[in-house]
Amino acid sequence: MKQETFYYDNKIVKYFMYATIIWGLVGMAAGVLAALQMAMPIFNFELEYTTFGRVRPIHTNAAIFAFVGNGIFMGVYYSMQRLLKTRMYSDVLSYLHFWGWQLIIVLAALTLALGFTTGKEYAELEWPIDILIAVIWLVFGWNMFGTIMKRRVKHLYVAIWFYLATFITVTLLHVVNSVELPVTLTKSYSWYAGVQDALVQWWYGHNAVAFFLTTPYLGLMYYYIPKASNRPVYSYRLSIVHFWSFLFIYIWAGPHHLLYTALPDWAQSLGTVFSIMLLAPSWGGMLNGLLTLRGAWDKVRESATLKFLVVAVTCYGMATFEGPMLSLKNVNAISHFTDWTVAHVHIGTLGWNGFLTFGVLYWLVPQIFKTKLYSEKLAGAHFWIGTIGILFYAIPMYWAGLTQSLMWKEFTEDGLLAYPNFLETVTQIRPMYYMRAFGGLIYLLGAVLMGYNLFKTAAQGKVTANEEATAVVEDIHKGKKGEKLHGWLERKPVQFMVISLVTVLIGTLIELIPTFLIKSNVPTIASVQPYTPLELEGRDIYLREGCYNCHSQMIRPFRSETERYGEYSKAGEFVYDHPFQWGSKRTGPDLAREGVMTGKIYKPDAWHYQHMLDPQKLNENSIMPKYPWLIEDDLDVSDLPAKIRAMQTLGVPYPEGYDVMALDDYYKQADKIVNNLKVAGIESSRDKEIIALIAYLQRLGTDIYKTAPETVTE
């Protein structure tokens, strides 16, 4: 064995480090703005670019892909070089990855603010950006795998296993979920519809949490906790069990986001069973992380870095206990569509991802800049400020979630809904929204303190861009005598990747294929017809404005929901929905039967017009934004023929050649709505965006209830 000298690339780590801090502050600021908008609608600023429906996707994408994404790459580029005793495979690929990822983030922020969205949660970016994401992600994978192949050590450490699993599975998730049919450069339709789209979306959505927000961070945990505490990982065997069981089980759990919906029962049951099983590997990883600190707990008292890391792993344990609990049908019946889910998600993002990133930054910046942390006291203050911020955020949201569910489900002694007006629940929980905004603001303040502390630390030190290192070169092809199976696998990265891919494909294929191929999973309904051209344009406006962020279109088979909204939703209702719009949160009421509400008050066209213009005029307690631009702006229908052709390609049964005739039908229906508004004393034009949106809203539910109530009430 010979000893070689080589150089670590610290410059790329520094770049991702700065990006993590900066985008973290941007993402958190967007989150605080969204929280303020929920409490006080005035913070929507009556601008189309700053409404909650557009700010919320900007916040989620910035928090996940900008803050956490750059944090992953920062941690991976530093740890991988040292674990493999080699420089990254290619400097060109490293910097192409960095600048490509920042370009994606900027494009995401701009396009989402402009309303260019696919309407799919956590996958809102349009098709050109999806392609760019795929290219840059493959650049990252190429660089990572090339580095592994030129390593100077024999075995791959556990952190590398999680990095590889992240690359493989995120590639699979992104490609499958992003299959869409482009209409223009800024518009596409999901290839999947209705139930299939919902299953694919939450297979992606849940596993994006697993394989972008969890597996890479578990890899960081396995590297940085031992480094920061100067202790070895508690159990190598437990890490093996943790990795493979996590990889196999997690991929099945997505359907638990769709309990009591129109998804087939067998898929819901699979999601529940595997979600409960997931508790074991999740807590195995948490215990492996915490027990690594055995004999080093005295250091936790003194080190802000270790405080952050310990609380991060603890929050991971809390979130992964709560997740399986929320997948139980009796619990999910209470929590789904409420702010309970928001609280659960933010225990993970603020506690697990946020605090682990902060801990890594506090350890890594002094290492990179060859200096001491500027102020341990400021870091300690950040820890306590951040912890208080999480508590002020999460506790009110748990309270709000339970309040919402109990009020939605309560009946009087006479068997009537105790709170028939949905807005009564919103008014009741509004104080919790103020507290949530306060908690988010405190958390952001802590991050600002961190930014100041770390930039002062950087200013007093200096980065060695190419850090010299030496290592003994091991024969990576030769195993030890008596080598066990997993030891052999750790020397074989290609085989490791293939087995990892097969492991995640098993659950994927078993869940997805039957839903697409067996027709009985989605029984059709003869009365369900394609959207008219005007309704299709209105639906695109609904997506553009992010209405799915606050409204569901899925009535569950509970008496409390059928009494409030009408007949429960069926799978066959959504066969022409590209994408599906079931939603995941009810800040406002469900809209599945908005066009015709059996036994309830029917809302005429004029009501929808006034509601979009000024919701507070109809009810001063409403927290919905105003949409004056819908009243003022003309709708560009030049792409309507292309949209009709795209829908025909996707299997929507419009007549042959209908793309040529669609505009005539568009204006005929628009003129009817304009006349209805005129009767109510409202002057409008058939070219306005509001006309198309009204047509879409009035369509909802009419395939099930073909006639409107005889009595029309304002």
Side-chain angles (χ1 to χ4, degrees):
M1 291 192 295
K2 62 178 181 178
Q3 190 165 341
E4 291 183 350
T5 300
F6 57 96
Y7 298 89
Y8 294 132
D9 182 4
N10 287 335
K11 189 177 178 182
I12 189 63
V13 180
K14 181 185 74 172
Y15 279 19
F16 277 116
M17 183 186 300
Y18 285 148
T20 301
I21 298 168
I22 293 168
W23 287 121
L25 294 174
V26 171
M28 292 171 208
V32 170
L33 176 59
L36 288 169
Q37 290 171 337
M38 295 286 280
M40 294 171 281
I42 192 174
F43 281 97
N44 289 280
F45 306 121
E46 293 189 33
L47 298 172
E48 58 184 299
Y49 311 111
T50 55
T51 57
F52 179 82
R54 300 197 192 184
V55 169
R56 192 251 179 180
I58 291 173
H59 162 59
T60 55
N61 279 269
I64 296 170
F65 301 109
F67 172 53
V68 172
N70 278 297
I72 291 168
F73 303 135
M74 169 191 72
V76 168
Y77 273 93
Y78 181 87
S79 62
M80 180 170 280
Q81 294 183 78
R82 283 144 182 89
L83 288 170
L84 301 176
K85 303 299 181 187
T86 185
R87 190 182 181 89
M88 292 303 295
Y89 172 70
S90 166
D91 287 3
V92 172
L93 292 178
S94 295
Y95 293 99
L96 179 60
H97 174 207
F98 174 80
W99 290 112
W101 197 257
Q102 310 318 308
L103 175 62
I104 289 166
I105 295 166
V106 172
L107 290 175
L110 291 174
T111 55
L112 291 172
L114 291 169
F116 302 136
T117 173
T118 63
K120 300 178 74 168
E121 285 190 79
Y122 312 117
E124 293 93 348
L125 303 181
E126 274 293 356
W127 67 272
I129 305 178
D130 280 341
I131 293 173
L132 182 59
I133 290 170
V135 170
I136 297 303
W137 187 254
L138 289 175
V139 166
F140 167 58
W142 179 9
N143 205 14
M144 179 169 63
F145 195 72
T147 306
I148 291 171
M149 296 306 291
K150 72 167 195 173
R151 69 192 186 278
R152 291 183 173 84
V153 297
K154 190 172 296 187
H155 292 276
L156 300 180
Y157 178 65
V158 57
I160 308 293
W161 313 346
F162 282 95
Y163 300 160
L164 284 172
T166 298
F167 170 70
I168 294 164
T169 315
V170 169
T171 304
L172 175 68
L173 293 169
H174 179 68
V175 170
V176 173
N177 191 55
S178 298
V179 178
E180 52 212 359
L181 183 63
V183 178
T184 66
L185 189 66
T186 57
K187 180 63 186 174
S188 65
Y189 291 117
S190 172
W191 190 264
Y192 319 107
V195 170
Q196 289 100 337
D197 193 42
L199 180 59
V200 171
Q201 165 61 21
W202 283 111
W203 165 81
Y204 163 87
H206 183 77
N207 289 302
V209 172
F211 293 96
F212 199 85
L213 297 177
T214 305
T215 50
Y217 267 64
L218 288 169
L220 299 184
M221 177 194 80
Y222 275 115
Y223 180 81
Y224 289 97
I225 286 184
K227 279 290 183 182
S229 63
N230 199 27
R231 303 287 298 176
V233 169
Y234 172 69
S235 173
Y236 166 71
R237 290 183 178 180
L238 182 56
S239 67
I240 295 174
V241 175
H242 172 211
F243 175 78
W244 291 108
S245 57
F246 183 97
L247 203 61
F248 176 73
I249 294 172
Y250 219 122
I251 203 78
W252 297 76
H256 80 223
H257 291 265
L258 300 169
L259 299 182
Y260 290 112
T261 67
L263 188 74
D265 281 345
W266 65 265
Q268 296 183 39
S269 298
L270 272 179
T272 297
V273 168
F274 279 89
S275 296
I276 296 167
M277 292 168 60
L278 190 58
L279 180 62
S282 298
W283 272 48
M286 176 198 70
L287 292 172
N288 214 8
L290 290 179
L291 291 174
T292 296
L293 293 167
R294 68 202 186 285
W297 285 98
D298 57 311
K299 296 180 181 178
V300 177
R301 287 197 304 270
E302 303 166 359
S303 169
T305 297
L306 286 175
K307 286 187 180 77
F308 277 111
L309 296 177
V310 166
V311 172
V313 177
T314 304
C315 286
Y316 170 67
M318 292 165 59
T320 53
F321 173 81
E322 187 181 17
M325 182 176 70
L326 292 175
S327 71
L328 297 170
K329 276 197 163 185
N330 56 344
V331 179
N332 191 272
I334 299 169
S335 69
H336 197 49
F337 292 133
T338 75
D339 285 306
W340 184 341
T341 305
V342 177
H344 164 65
V345 167
H346 283 81
I347 288 293
T349 51
L350 299 178
W352 166 236
N353 296 115
F355 268 33
L356 195 115
T357 304
F358 299 153
V360 170
L361 281 166
Y362 278 122
W363 183 84
L364 192 52
V365 171
Q367 296 290 325
I368 288 290
F369 286 90
K370 305 296 181 186
T371 186
K372 289 184 177 181
L373 185 64
Y374 173 72
S375 173
E376 191 70 35
K377 287 185 178 180
L378 276 180
H382 175 203
F383 171 78
W384 291 111
I385 290 171
T387 302
I388 292 169
I390 293 173
L391 294 175
F392 267 98
Y393 189 109
I395 293 173
M397 286 298 94
Y398 282 120
W399 194 300
L402 287 169
T403 302
Q404 285 170 311
S405 188
L406 292 173
M407 291 181 72
W408 293 345
K409 294 176 181 293
E410 187 172 347
F411 285 84
T412 66
E413 292 181 357
D414 297 324
L416 303 175
L417 287 169
Y419 304 99
N421 186 344
F422 188 92
L423 201 53
E424 292 178 277
T425 65
V426 178
T427 305
Q428 186 68 28
I429 63 174
R430 203 161 171 180
M432 288 79 149
Y433 285 170
Y434 283 102
M435 293 179 70
R436 184 256 299 270
F438 178 66
L441 193 60
I442 292 175
Y443 192 89
L444 174 60
L445 175 62
V448 170
L449 278 181
M450 177 197 71
Y452 172 78
N453 199 1
L454 293 181
F455 281 112
K456 291 292 284 186
T457 303
Q460 68 186 17
K462 187 177 181 181
V463 173
T464 303
N466 298 291
E467 182 183 342
E468 184 177 325
T470 58
V472 174
V473 181
E474 299 178 4
D475 185 352
I476 62 174
H477 302 293
K478 186 177 180 181
K480 296 178 181 178
K481 188 176 181 179
E483 183 178 58
K484 295 184 179 179
L485 176 61
H486 207 272
W488 172 83
L489 192 60
E490 290 168 26
R491 292 190 294 105
K492 304 291 183 179
V494 175
Q495 291 88 332
F496 195 101
M497 289 180 70
V498 170
I499 294 172
S500 298
L501 178 60
V502 170
T503 302
V504 295
L505 278 176
I506 293 170
T508 297
L509 297 177
I510 290 175
E511 282 189 344
L512 297 187
I513 289 177
T515 312
F516 282 87
L517 298 185
I518 301 174
K519 291 185 178 180
S520 61
N521 281 312
V522 188
T524 56
I525 301 172
S527 61
V528 174
Q529 298 298 315
Y531 294 106
T532 66
L534 185 63
E535 292 160 0
L536 183 63
E537 289 285 6
R539 192 173 198 268
D540 287 342
I541 293 172
Y542 182 94
L543 296 178
R544 184 192 75 191
E545 300 303 334
C547 302
Y548 58 88
N549 288 291
C550 293
H551 294 280
S552 61
Q553 291 185 30
M554 173 53 59
I555 302 171
R556 298 177 294 176
F558 302 144
R559 181 180 167 226
S560 59
E561 296 204 7
T562 57
E563 283 291 313
R564 186 182 299 275
Y565 302 118
E567 180 71 12
Y568 70 88
S569 300
K570 318 291 195 305
E573 294 180 48
F574 310 102
V575 292
Y576 304 129
D577 284 8
H578 298 269
F580 85 114
Q581 286 293 284
W582 296 358
S584 59
K585 173 76 166 59
R586 283 182 187 155
T587 304
D590 187 275
L591 301 180
R593 305 283 180 256
E594 185 68 8
V596 178
M597 301 180 71
T598 302
K600 309 290 189 277
I601 296 175
Y602 174 74
K603 298 171 183 173
D605 296 344
W607 185 93
H608 287 292
Y609 184 99
Q610 297 290 359
H611 188 231
M612 301 307 295
L613 177 61
D614 189 352
Q616 285 73 40
K617 189 175 181 179
L618 296 180
N619 192 310
E620 64 181 1
N621 292 318
S622 174
I623 60 172
M624 179 174 157
K626 298 176 183 178
Y627 293 89
W629 55 92
L630 298 179
I631 312 298
E632 300 162 1
D633 292 351
D634 289 343
L635 180 60
D636 180 5
V637 294
S638 60
D639 297 326
L640 180 57
K643 291 181 177 181
I644 296 295
R645 290 192 296 272
M647 284 294 171
Q648 289 173 320
T649 302
L650 294 170
V652 178
Y654 290 116
E656 187 175 347
Y658 187 65
D659 58 316
V660 179
M661 303 177 287
L663 205 56
D664 292 336
D665 287 350
Y666 176 98
Y667 284 123
K668 285 178 185 177
Q669 187 178 4
D671 286 339
K672 290 179 181 178
I673 295 174
V674 170
N675 288 334
N676 290 341
L677 294 175
K678 190 172 184 179
V679 170
I682 298 171
E683 291 293 333
S684 187
S685 162
R686 65 180 184 172
D687 297 313
K688 299 302 180 184
E689 291 185 337
I690 186 65
I691 304 301
L693 181 60
I694 290 173
Y696 173 64
L697 293 172
Q698 295 290 41
R699 167 63 186 273
L700 295 174
T702 57
D703 286 326
I704 303 302
Y705 301 110
K706 272 298 179 185
T707 57
E710 292 182 8
T711 303
V712 176
T713 309
E714 289 282 355

